[in-house]
Amino acid sequence: MFYRSKTIKGLLSIVPGKHRLGAYRFLPIFFCIGGVMEWIMINVRIGQETFYDVYRRKKSERQYEQKMADGLLALDQPGAK
């Protein structure tokens, strides 16, 4: 148990800025990780869709279902513009 604790302390002590920034020295690392995750969600396609393509489609489907439930849309009205 103490061996793991020493290993983790050793890894954490490698990150510079301990005296000047304290625990906040890790913020730039997590900021960069968040930026990379956002870039992946926008640009990386799995199949033919990105994360935001799925998000927009699901949001549109929910709005359509809500309008149908509220009775604002009717399927039988041809040519309603």
Side-chain angles (χ1 to χ4, degrees), residues 20-72:
R20 178 178 272 176
L21 300 173
Y24 296 107
R25 69 182 189 240
F26 300 106
L27 282 178
I29 295 169
F30 292 115
F31 183 79
C32 291
I33 290 171
V36 168
M37 286 177 58
E38 187 71 21
W39 184 87
I40 288 171
M41 289 168 50
I42 293 171
N43 294 316
V44 174
R45 294 193 175 276
I46 297 175
Q48 295 180 357
E49 294 182 316
T50 65
F51 170 81
Y52 286 113
D53 293 338
V54 174
Y55 173 78
R56 284 190 299 261
R57 181 173 42 87
K58 292 287 184 181
K59 184 177 179 184
S60 175
E61 288 173 359
R62 285 188 206 108
Q63 288 175 345
Y64 177 76
E65 290 172 0
Q66 185 63 39
K67 287 181 181 180
M68 290 296 290
D70 292 343
L72 298 176

Side-chain angles (χ1 to χ4, degrees), residues 72-81:
L72 298 176
L73 294 177
L75 296 176
D76 297 323
Q77 294 177 353
K81 291 184 181 179

